[in-house]
C-alpha cells in the first residue's frame, strides 16, 4: 500500500487514466466512422443489387426468386471486378419481331453501358440472342468462346424445365470468360487515414471529432472518478482521526508520527492536513470545556458532618407526633 501513496505513483496513474480516456475517445470516433462507412456501403450495395435485379425482365417466368437474386449478385461482382454485367430479357413470344432487332432496341432502351451485355430469350421458338456494347467488341468479336458458352447452357434441357440450373451454369462460365479475357477494374486507392466515401465527398476523421469523443468519454466516466475520490476522502478522514488519537501528545503539539494518506494531496503539511488537524483539536477542546461545565456529583457526608447535623436543634415549625393537652 505504501507504493500507491507516493506522489509520483499517483501522478503516473492519473496520467494513465487521461491517456486511456483519450485512446478510448479516438477509438469511439474511428469506430463511429467505420460504422457509418459500413452502413453506407451496405446501403450502396443494396441499391446496386436492386439495380441489377431490375435488369432481369423474366416475363416467361423461367427463373425463381432465389435464382434471380443469385444472378443479381453475380452481376454485381462482375461489375465491381471487370466493369461488365449481363442483363436478361425473357418472353414467350416476340409477336413476330426479329429477335436480333428486338435485342438491339431493348439494349438501347435500357441504356446499358458500353461494356455491358444483354441476353434475350424467346421461349416459344427456343431462340436467344446476345448483344454486347462497343467496349467489348475488341474482346468478343471473333471470340467464339462467348457464343459457345451461351449455346452450351441454353440447350434443350434449359427449355424443358432446367432453366434455373442452366442460367446459373451460364453465369459461372461467364465469370470464367471474363477472368480469361477482360482486364480487372483498377481498385480505388485508399489512404491510411480512416475516411467515409459519400457521394464523391470524403469525410476524414477530424481532430474536433476526436476531441468531442474524448470529452464525452471523460463525462461518462467522471462520475465514477468523483465517487471513488469521495470514498477515498472519507477513508482518509477516518484514518486521520485514528491517527490523531494515537499519536497526538497531551500538550497539543504536532503528532509524533507522520501521516500516510491514501490520496497524496492529504499528506502531512498540506492544507487538508492542516484543516483536519485544527478540526480535531477544536472538537477535543469543545469536549474538554463541556466536561468542565458539568457540576460534580454530590459527595457522601462524612462522620463530622453527621455529628454537626445531630447537634442542630430540631425545626420548631415542624409538627411533632406527640399530642398536646390544653
Amino acid at each position: 500500500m505504501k507504493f500507491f501513496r507516493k506522489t509520483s505513483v499517483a501522478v503516473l496513474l492519473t496520467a494513465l487514466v487521461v491517456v486511456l480516456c483519450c485512446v478510448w475517445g479516438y477509438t469511439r470516433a474511428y469506430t463511429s466512422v467505420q460504422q457509418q462507412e459500413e452502413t453506407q456501403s451496405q446501403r450502396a450495395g443494396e441499391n446496386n443489387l436492386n439495380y441489377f435485379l431490375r435488369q432481369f425482365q423474366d416475363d416467361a417466368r423461367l427463373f425463381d426468386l432465389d435464382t434471380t437474386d443469385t444472378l443479381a449478385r453475380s452481376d454485381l461482382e462482375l461489375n465491381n471486378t471487370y466493369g461488365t454485367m449481363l442483363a436478361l430479357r425473357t418472353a414467350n413470344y416476340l409477336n413476330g419481331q426479329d429477335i436480333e432487332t428486338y435485342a438491339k432496341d431493348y439494349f438501347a432502351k435500357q441504356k446499358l453501358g458500353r461494356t455491358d451485355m444483354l441476353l434475350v430469350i424467346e421461349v416459344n421458338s427456343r431462340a436467344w440472342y446476345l448483344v454486347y456494347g462497343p467496349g467489348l467488341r475488341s474482346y468478343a468479336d471473333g471470340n467464339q468462346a462467348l457464343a459457345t458458352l451461351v449455346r452450351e447452357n441454353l440447350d434443350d434441357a434449359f427449355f424443358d424445365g432446367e432453366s434455373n440450373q442452366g442460367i446459373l451454369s451460364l453465369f459461372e462460365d461467364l465469370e470464367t470468360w471474363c477472368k480469361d479475357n477482360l482486364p480487372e477494374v483498377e481498385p480505388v486507392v485508399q489512404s491510411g487515414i480512416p475516411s467515409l466515401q459519400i457521394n464523391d465527398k470524403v469525410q476524414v476523421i477530424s481532430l474536433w471529432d476526436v476531441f468531442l469523443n474524448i470529452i464525452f468519454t471523460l463525462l461518462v466516466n467522471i462520475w465514477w472518478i468523483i465517487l471513488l475520490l469521495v470514498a477515498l476522502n472519507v477513508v482518509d478522514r477516518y484514518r486521520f482521526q485514528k491517527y490523531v488519537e494515537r499519536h497526538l501528545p497531551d500538550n497539543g503539539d504536532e503528532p509524533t508520527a507522520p501521516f500516510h494518506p491514501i490520496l497524496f494531496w492529504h499528506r502531512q503539511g498540506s492544507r487538508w492536513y492542516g484543516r483536519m488537524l485544527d478540526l480535531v483539536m477544536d472538537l477535543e477542546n469543545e469536549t474538554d470545556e463541556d466536561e468542565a461545565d458539568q457540576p460534580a456529583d454530590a459527595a457522601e457526608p462524612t462522620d463530622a458532618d453527621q455529628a454537626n447535623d445531630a447537634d442542630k436543634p430540631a425545626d420548631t415549625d415542624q409538627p411533632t407526633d406527640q399530642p398536646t393537652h390544653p
Side-chain angles (χ1 to χ4, degrees), residues 32-49:
S32 177
V33 170
Q34 274 193 327
Q35 291 176 350
Q36 293 179 5
E37 184 177 5
E38 291 175 359
T39 302
Q40 187 68 18
S41 300
Q42 183 178 3
R43 291 179 179 178
E46 290 176 354
N47 292 335
N48 289 336
L49 192 61

Side-chain angles (χ1 to χ4, degrees), residues 189-205:
V189 179
Q190 298 180 353
S191 63
I193 302 177
S195 61
L196 175 63
Q197 189 79 22
I198 303 178
N199 297 330
D200 297 332
K201 295 180 180 180
V202 178
Q203 178 183 355
V204 181
I205 297 179

Side-chain angles (χ1 to χ4, degrees), residues 50-230:
N50 291 331
Y51 169 78
F52 292 114
L53 285 172
R54 289 194 298 269
Q55 304 307 318
F56 297 146
Q57 299 296 326
D58 186 21
D59 292 347
R61 300 185 181 276
L62 295 176
F63 317 119
D64 55 30
L65 293 179
D66 291 338
T67 299
T68 304
D69 183 74
T70 302
L71 298 180
R73 295 181 185 278
S74 298
D75 262 348
L76 177 61
E77 184 67 24
L78 288 174
N79 182 73
N80 293 336
T81 306
Y82 304 104
T84 186
M85 61 165 289
L86 175 62
L88 286 175
R89 176 72 169 95
T90 68
N92 291 316
Y93 301 95
L94 294 179
N95 297 325
Q97 299 183 56
D98 179 65
I99 190 172
E100 179 181 353
T101 303
Y102 180 87
K104 292 180 179 179
D105 292 342
Y106 190 81
F107 187 96
K109 179 182 178 181
Q110 292 297 105
K111 298 180 180 180
L112 297 175
R114 299 181 68 256
T115 57
D116 294 336
M117 294 174 281
L118 169 67
L119 178 62
V120 176
I121 302 174
E122 185 183 13
V123 177
N124 184 48
S125 61
R126 298 193 174 190
W128 57 267
Y129 194 88
L130 180 67
V131 184
Y132 46 82
L136 291 179
R137 289 176 181 172
S138 59
Y139 305 100
D141 286 351
N143 189 338
Q144 297 298 322
L146 182 60
T148 300
L149 69 89
V150 177
R151 186 180 302 108
E152 290 178 350
N153 289 285
L154 300 186
D155 53 7
D156 292 337
F158 176 87
F159 294 99
D160 291 337
E162 298 182 3
S163 54
N164 289 301
Q165 296 86 340
I167 199 65
L168 291 174
S169 177
L170 171 61
F171 267 75
E172 291 178 0
D173 293 342
L174 180 62
E175 292 177 2
T176 303
W177 182 88
C178 292
K179 181 179 180 180
D180 295 339
N181 296 275
L182 300 182
E184 294 186 4
V185 178
E186 295 182 1
V188 179
V189 179
Q190 298 180 353
S191 63
I193 302 177
S195 61
L196 175 63
Q197 189 79 22
I198 303 178
N199 297 330
D200 297 332
K201 295 180 180 180
V202 178
Q203 178 183 355
V204 181
I205 297 179
S206 63
L207 294 178
W208 177 249
D209 294 332
V210 176
F211 175 75
L212 289 180
N213 280 278
I214 292 174
I215 295 299
F216 175 79
T217 304
L218 290 174
L219 290 177
V220 169
N221 296 277
I222 193 65
W223 306 111
W224 298 103
I225 298 175
I226 292 175
L227 181 61
L228 177 62
L229 292 178
V230 171

